[in-house]
Amino acid sequence: MKRTVTDTSLAERIKERTGQNMNLCYFCRKCTNGCPVVEYMDLTPSQLMRSLQLGRDDMVLESKTPWLCAHCETCFARCPMSLDVPQIMDAIINEVRERGIKPAVPEVDALNRLALAWIKRLGRMYELAIMGERNLRSGQLFRDMEMGRRMLMAGKLKLLPSFSGRMLSSKKKAEPRPKSGAARVAYFPGCSQHSSGIEYGSSTENVAMALGLELAEPKGWTCCGSGMGHTLPKGELASMAMRNLALVEAVGDDTL
């Protein structure tokens, strides 16, 4: 009787990096059924997991699926085995880059790199510059102009960037905040709460006001890395979050 042996080297590398065990997947397809962008993928999330189990590394590394993942975590929430599928997608992207394989969706890779470059320059996301540079690089100068106009009119795009002292740590000591009568928590809005997610930010602030809660925005906060930040080395991504936590602690706040 012939014995079939599968090569699970990529699955093992992802398990080492993320702690996610692909062999726990039993192909229930809940991740696929809930994915909002599955129609654009060449392998559904469940097919990708099965390919990893079978050692079909080339198929996985050349797939469009990891690049199209929206990181909405619907799959993670629905998975009966609590597999963090978006984290697995990020690990696959890191493998693609490290092995020098051409990304299956180069536009997404280029946009991620552009966004991270601007975050490193300013410390925060600057969507207008990212869109403009992408259009210049692609030769499509007026791409998404109408969408950009509507976003500007709705306050979802800023003409000028906000600076946070870049990603470099500051030697200047933060001054402790004066105590006020209201209950106070540090509030990290992230880049989106003042731009593309402005409605959510406004709602949060109004609810806090109604509850008598003071939201203290840390001075000089930096981007959390957003979705594209998860393709960075772990230490670099963690430093973004740690810097914001250090800013909160430096002014005497203990709740974020």
Side-chain angles (χ1 to χ4, degrees):
M1 182 177 176
K2 188 177 178 182
R3 186 182 174 195
T4 302
V5 179
T6 59
D7 175 14
T8 57
S9 58
L10 180 57
E12 289 300 320
R13 278 179 60 79
I14 291 173
K15 185 179 177 182
E16 286 172 14
R17 286 186 161 190
T18 66
Q20 302 299 311
N21 183 358
M22 266 61 68
N23 289 324
L24 293 176
C25 173
Y26 58 87
F27 212 56
C28 70
R29 297 187 180 89
K30 285 190 176 182
C31 54
T32 294
N33 293 338
C35 179
V37 291
V38 70
E39 62 185 294
Y40 304 104
M41 295 173 170
D42 50 3
L43 292 176
T44 67
S46 48
Q47 287 172 338
L48 191 85
M49 298 297 286
R50 181 63 86 204
S51 299
L52 283 166
Q53 290 176 347
L54 296 175
R56 300 295 301 273
D57 294 2
D58 290 347
M59 183 183 289
V60 172
L61 294 170
E62 293 169 5
S63 172
K64 295 179 180 180
T65 299
W67 301 95
L68 298 177
C69 174
H71 289 85
C72 65
E73 299 195 344
T74 304
C75 50
F76 187 17
R78 302 184 97 187
C79 178
M81 303 308 293
S82 297
L83 284 169
D84 191 339
V85 180
Q87 193 177 11
I88 293 168
M89 299 288 190
D90 291 333
I92 294 168
I93 288 174
N94 282 327
E95 282 288 328
V96 168
R97 288 176 173 169
E98 288 174 14
R99 298 187 190 201
I101 299 170
K102 184 180 178 182
V105 189
E107 298 86 353
V108 172
D109 182 51
L111 190 63
N112 284 349
R113 291 178 186 274
L114 264 179
L116 287 169
W118 276 101
I119 289 168
K120 286 184 177 180
R121 288 180 196 131
L122 303 175
R124 297 179 188 171
M125 190 78 75
Y126 183 26
E127 291 97 336
L128 202 61
I130 294 165
M131 290 168 65
E133 188 171 346
R134 180 205 61 180
N135 289 2
L136 281 171
R137 286 173 180 264
S138 65
Q140 298 173 297
L141 295 179
F142 301 105
R143 182 180 177 184
D144 297 328
M145 285 291 284
E146 177 56 25
M147 180 183 71
R149 184 192 68 81
R150 293 200 305 268
M151 290 180 73
L152 274 170
M153 295 295 290
K156 290 174 172 287
L157 279 181
K158 303 298 180 187
L159 282 172
L160 298 175
S162 61
F163 295 87
S164 65
R166 304 173 69 178
M167 297 308 297
L168 303 175
S169 58
S170 175
K171 292 181 180 178
K172 187 178 177 183
K173 267 196 166 184
E175 294 294 326
R177 294 184 192 276
K179 298 289 182 183
S180 67
R184 184 183 74 198
V185 294
Y187 171 58
F188 177 72
C191 303
S192 61
Q193 303 294 71
H194 294 317
S195 55
S196 56
I198 196 167
E199 300 97 337
Y200 187 55
S202 175
S203 173
T204 302
E205 289 166 7
N206 284 319
V207 168
M209 189 184 299
L211 294 172
L213 187 65
E214 179 190 349
L215 299 180
E217 195 171 307
K219 189 176 181 181
W221 61 263
T222 52
C223 182
C224 66
S226 191
M228 73 286 298
H230 293 281
T231 62
L232 289 169
K234 279 187 178 178
E236 197 169 339
L237 177 63
S239 68
M240 292 182 170
M242 294 302 292
R243 185 182 187 279
N244 288 315
L245 291 173
L247 288 171
V248 171
E249 185 181 47
V251 296
D253 287 324
D254 58 8
T255 304
L256 176 62

